[in-house]
Amino acid sequence: MVGDEESIAQVLNRLRRAHGQLAGVIAMIEQGRDCKDVVTQLAAVSRALDRAGFKILATGLRECLDESKKSGDPLTVAELEKLFLALA
């Protein structure tokens, strides 16, 4: 991933948090915890991953566009839409 160090650190923190939350969900299922609690925690994992993805797109979009121009293989509107919709 390309971007400034602060943005990368934020993405990594979000992903580490999601990793811990997912481990918690797995443990909850193994322990036979209440469905409501498991789903609530799973939703938190999903939001954390979504936020990380949006941060990656927001920070990396300019670099992606610049790199694609330099390489002679520009990103199309359809490709950009596909990246955004992949997070929807």
Side-chain angles (χ1 to χ4, degrees), residues 3-78:
D4 62 274
E5 290 182 28
E6 182 180 342
S7 295
I8 292 171
Q10 290 174 356
V11 168
L12 288 172
N13 285 338
R14 285 186 173 124
L15 291 174
R16 286 184 183 108
R17 188 176 312 123
H19 184 264
Q21 289 171 319
L22 184 56
V25 170
I26 293 168
M28 291 171 76
I29 292 170
E30 291 173 342
Q31 296 165 1
R33 296 277 298 274
D34 183 59
C35 176
K36 178 182 164 188
D37 295 335
V38 172
V39 171
T40 300
Q41 193 64 25
L42 192 56
V45 173
S46 180
R47 282 190 305 273
L49 291 174
D50 287 345
R51 287 185 185 127
F54 288 130
K55 184 68 174 178
I56 289 169
L57 278 177
T59 353
L61 189 56
R62 182 174 302 276
E63 285 89 4
C64 287
L65 290 172
D66 288 344
E67 287 297 317
S68 70
K69 285 179 186 177
K70 289 177 187 175
S71 71
D73 186 22
L75 287 171
T76 65
V77 171

